[in-house]
Amino acid sequence: MIPGADVATFKTIKDNYAADAFSEYFMATVLSRVESSLEIKNPTLYENLQGRIVLKVEQKGEAYYLSPVERKMYFLARPENAFVVMREQGVG
């Protein structure tokens, strides 16, 4: 058992490595944790891009979904994470 692990997206990668939609683990120790959402402070940016997926090219092309409901963008770390975000945040 790993406290705080997301059971719905948890999977073993290889040997003693595992991951869920929000973290990577080695032998039940958190190696890295994905910041799942960031607040958008620029209202013009939000109005123009809400409901879309954007890439942050200055950060290795990381993909984020800008929620049309709240002024936040959600990191789409892995396909499993992207499906969770779209299922919870998507409106159409």
Side-chain angles (χ1 to χ4, degrees), residues 45 49 52-56 61-66 73 76:
L45 174 77
L49 298 174
R52 297 178 189 227
I53 295 173
V54 297
L55 300 177
K56 291 180 79 175
E62 294 177 344
Y64 289 83
Y65 175 69
L66 280 73
M73 61 184 192
L76 307 176

Side-chain angles (χ1 to χ4, degrees), residues 56-80:
K56 291 180 79 175
V57 295
E58 70 277 3
Q59 291 184 333
K60 302 177 187 173
E62 294 177 344
Y64 289 83
Y65 175 69
L66 280 73
S67 172
V69 179
E70 54 188 356
R71 200 171 276 190
K72 289 185 179 182
M73 61 184 192
Y74 292 86
F75 182 44
L76 307 176
R78 294 179 202 84
E80 297 87 4

Side-chain angles (χ1 to χ4, degrees), residues 13-87:
I13 298 173
K14 62 179 179 176
D15 299 324
N16 293 314
Y17 291 89
D20 62 19
F22 307 103
S23 302
E24 294 178 345
Y25 307 94
F26 175 71
M27 296 183 70
T29 301
V30 177
L31 294 177
S32 65
R33 186 166 304 278
V34 174
E35 182 65 39
S36 61
S37 70
L38 300 169
E39 185 176 342
I40 301 171
K41 296 180 181 175
N42 183 330
T44 305
L45 174 77
Y46 177 73
E47 292 300 320
N48 291 333
L49 298 174
Q50 65 181 338
R52 297 178 189 227
I53 295 173
V54 297
L55 300 177
K56 291 180 79 175
V57 295
E58 70 277 3
Q59 291 184 333
K60 302 177 187 173
E62 294 177 344
Y64 289 83
Y65 175 69
L66 280 73
S67 172
V69 179
E70 54 188 356
R71 200 171 276 190
K72 289 185 179 182
M73 61 184 192
Y74 292 86
F75 182 44
L76 307 176
R78 294 179 202 84
E80 297 87 4
N81 176 256
F83 291 132
V84 169
V85 169
M86 292 301 170
R87 196 170 37 249

